Amino acid sequence: MARRKAKPVRVGSLTLGGQAPIYIQSMTNTDTRDVAATVAQILELEAAGCEIVRCSVYDEACANAIGAIKAAIHIPLVADIHFNAALAVAAVENGVDKLRINPGNIGSRARVERVAHAARAHGVPIRVGVNSGSLSREMLERYGGPTAEALAQSALEEVAVLESVGFEDIVVAIKSTGVQQTVEANRKLAASCGYPIHLGVTESGTVGYGSIKSAVGIGTLLMEGIGDTVRVSLSGSPVPEVPAAQQILQACGLRVFCPEIISCPTCGRCGIDVEAMAGEVARRVRHVTRPLKIAVMGCVVNGPGEAREADFGLAGGKEYGMVFSRGKTPRKVARDRLLEELVRELEEAGVIEPRS
Ligand code: SF4
């Protein structure tokens, strides 16, 4: 797949767009004024692998908390602001790395210029965009509802407001609660502007179905080369958003966070507890960041063939199974020793540390 070449935009220590990795974002759900709680949640997000974090900034106390939050975290911080130019300027002056604000709803041209001037002076980009639930009445009337065209056009109009005051350090996002609409609107956006695009299916739900909706929406666009950052929006703690985003990026072949465990669904031929063994293998290699495929297959009838593309693997059997390691002849191993022998192969290959 050819990735769309977006204009590179700096966000703190990271660059979005160009050939930069597709970064993972999340958003705190603490009260931003509570610095200790917000920092604690951001550190938890960082530990999970979050690379950019956004906080709501809805009053002066939130804007004033930014300096202390920034000083205690290690990833770029984005301030999410609605309607208020003064808060946007305060957030920038307090050291935020990016603003998420729509110039179309902060009022007069003079206010937009004020925000753009402050952002430019501090090298801070601005993310603009729309959610299906926040389209203006005028747009809804013009397009007969929150259509993909209305979403794309609305986002482009927000971009145009910033460009009209000479500001082009822009990231754009269009999010809908509908997967199909998110995909269609982002396709239109990608074809009509050159700025980095932040992807997400908004309000996608709780961890299970929300992750699937996000995977379909975000994954479809990523596979078309569209998208420079992603957020999986899930109800509850933001921390599970991060592994969900990692898994989407890895499944799309765009980033590697851990070895890929290939395990069969099992059937009547299965001779081992595939689920438990695959879980144990995943646990043992969870800190490995090398791109590896490790297969755990239930039988030696189809297992070896299905595991051929893997770097390491095992295939079960009623009494004996096989252990595979790329470049070596497969070995026949007693069923009860399969996992142990696979782990030994991983240790000998330097994938994991030998057990003491
Ligand atoms: Fe069934 Fe063997 Fe295929 Fe697993 S690998 S699904 S046990 S045939």
Side-chain angles (χ1 to χ4, degrees):
M1 125 203 38
R3 184 167 166 206
R4 170 180 170 269
K5 285 195 180 63
K7 174 190 171 179
V9 169
R10 293 287 297 177
V11 179
S13 56
L14 303 179
T15 299
L16 308 188
Q19 289 308 303
I22 297 165
Y23 289 113
I24 294 170
Q25 299 200 26
S26 186
M27 184 168 183
T28 55
N29 62 4
T30 52
D31 183 338
T32 307
R33 297 169 297 189
D34 184 341
V35 172
T38 302
V39 166
Q41 191 170 69
I42 294 174
L43 295 180
E44 214 185 330
L45 285 164
E46 285 183 10
C50 180
E51 294 163 314
I52 300 172
V53 68
R54 183 159 50 115
C55 296
S56 304
V57 173
Y58 47 86
D59 67 13
E60 216 179 310
C62 293
N64 290 337
I66 284 171
I69 294 169
K70 272 275 299 175
I73 66 171
H74 313 89
I75 56 177
L77 181 66
V78 184
D80 188 283
I81 295 166
H82 289 275
F83 309 116
N84 195 319
L87 283 183
V89 172
V92 168
E93 287 173 350
N94 285 324
V96 86
D97 296 299
K98 186 168 84 167
L99 287 175
R100 188 268 180 266
I101 189 167
N102 277 345
N105 64 27
I106 49 179
S108 66
R109 183 179 174 86
R111 286 187 190 164
V112 175
E113 279 177 347
R114 227 179 110 207
V115 174
H117 178 76
R120 190 182 298 110
H122 289 81
V124 169
I126 299 178
R127 164 151 76 94
V128 301
V130 282
N131 282 11
S132 48
S134 66
L135 274 177
S136 68
R137 179 175 304 206
E138 192 258 319
M139 275 291 172
L140 291 171
E141 283 170 6
R142 199 195 305 173
Y143 290 94
T147 62
E149 186 66 36
L151 288 163
Q153 198 51 41
S154 183
L156 291 169
E157 287 183 12
E158 295 292 349
V159 167
V161 175
L162 282 183
E163 288 177 337
S164 75
V165 296
F167 191 89
E168 296 186 347
D169 212 5
I170 300 169
V171 179
V172 198
I174 297 177
K175 297 183 180 182
S176 167
T177 54
V179 169
Q180 208 171 328
Q181 195 171 64
T182 299
V183 170
E184 283 175 20
N186 276 284
R187 282 178 180 150
K188 290 177 192 296
L189 177 67
S192 308
C193 82
Y195 297 112
I197 293 178
H198 169 64
L199 297 180
V201 176
T202 195
E203 296 138 16
S204 60
T206 49
V207 174
Y209 186 55
S211 300
I212 289 173
K213 270 180 88 173
S214 299
V216 176
I218 294 171
T220 300
L221 289 161
L222 290 175
M223 295 303 282
E224 293 176 14
I226 298 169
D228 301 284
T229 67
V230 301
R231 180 191 178 198
V232 175
S233 303
L234 300 174
S235 303
S237 162
V239 178
E241 296 182 355
V242 179
Q246 289 176 338
Q247 285 160 17
I248 293 170
L249 289 167
Q250 180 149 337
C252 290
L254 292 163
R255 293 188 62 181
V256 174
F257 297 94
C258 62
E260 185 126 353
I261 309 296
I262 297 162
S263 60
C264 80
T266 76
C267 70
R269 296 188 194 91
C270 187
I272 55 172
D273 186 344
V274 169
E275 185 184 10
M277 281 186 165
E280 181 58 19
V281 172
R283 192 186 68 76
R284 301 242 189 168
V285 299
R286 67 182 186 276
H287 299 303
V288 176
T289 51
R290 277 165 61 178
L292 283 178
K293 287 184 178 166
I294 305 173
V296 178
M297 314 301 282
C299 76
V300 290
V301 176
N302 288 339
E306 290 166 12
R308 198 170 290 133
E309 297 305 312
D311 299 289
F312 299 89
L314 63 79
K318 301 292 180 198
E319 290 180 35
Y320 292 92
M322 307 288 276
V323 169
F324 309 87
S325 178
R326 192 178 284 282
K328 289 188 183 176
T329 309
R331 288 193 291 126
K332 185 177 171 186
V333 172
R335 191 182 77 157
D336 295 345
R337 292 191 49 79
L338 282 168
L339 182 61
E340 201 171 318
E341 289 298 316
L342 175 62
V343 169
R344 194 158 68 83
E345 292 288 351
L346 293 168
E347 289 172 350
E348 283 180 11
V351 174
I352 55 177
E353 291 289 321
R355 292 153 294 176
S356 50

